[in-house]
Amino acid sequence: QVQLVESGGGLVQAGGSLRLSCAAPGSIFRISAMGWYRQAPGKQRELVATVTSSDTTTYADSVKGRFTISRDNVKNTVALQMNSLKPEDTGVYYCHARPPWRAYWGQGTQVTVSS
């Protein structure tokens, strides 16, 4: 059983910053593409950012220039640095790991941005 352990969610005012972190088992982290997804109230889950095992990154247009995804291959963690937060960034953020055989999801962590 693979568990992704998330931390860093919370409440922040518009314009502020938060840093999310997700720890994955070492047995899968090295060979997994990692990512963050979010689900806003009343909306479907959407991709926020991804980083491959070779450190190639992609971002949703709505967060590009404000968010940065990174991975630490020693600590087996992936982080999402979120700057210049907007109320529309509010939602449940999910860590995602994709080794070759299947995908795994974290439990989700709430991010609330007040206006």
Side-chain angles (χ1 to χ4, degrees):
Q1 186 176 355
V2 173
Q3 288 187 313
L4 307 181
V5 182
E6 300 164 315
S7 62
L11 174 65
V12 67
Q13 294 184 14
S17 298
L18 285 173
R19 184 178 177 88
L20 307 182
S21 183
C22 171
S27 59
I28 69 166
F29 184 85
R30 183 181 59 83
I31 61 173
S32 295
M34 303 294 296
W36 291 93
Y37 291 70
R38 69 186 180 189
Q39 187 168 15
K43 302 191 70 175
Q44 297 296 309
R45 190 174 300 183
E46 65 176 350
L47 183 147
V48 177
T50 62
V51 56
T52 69
S53 58
S54 58
D55 215 34
T56 299
T57 59
T58 60
Y59 297 92
D61 288 341
S62 60
V63 308
K64 193 171 185 178
R66 300 188 296 119
F67 292 9
T68 303
I69 189 170
S70 61
R71 63 189 298 148
D72 187 328
N73 293 327
V74 175
K75 298 179 179 179
N76 298 322
T77 58
V78 60
L80 184 69
Q81 179 66 45
M82 304 184 292
N83 298 326
S84 302
L85 283 161
K86 306 174 181 179
E88 50 262 46
D89 294 319
T90 293
V92 179
Y93 283 67
Y94 297 90
C95 183
H96 178 262
R98 185 174 54 79
W101 57 91
R102 64 157 292 178
Y104 300 92
W105 293 92
Q107 78 285 352
T109 184
Q110 178 70 42
V111 171
T112 303
V113 184
S114 62
S115 59

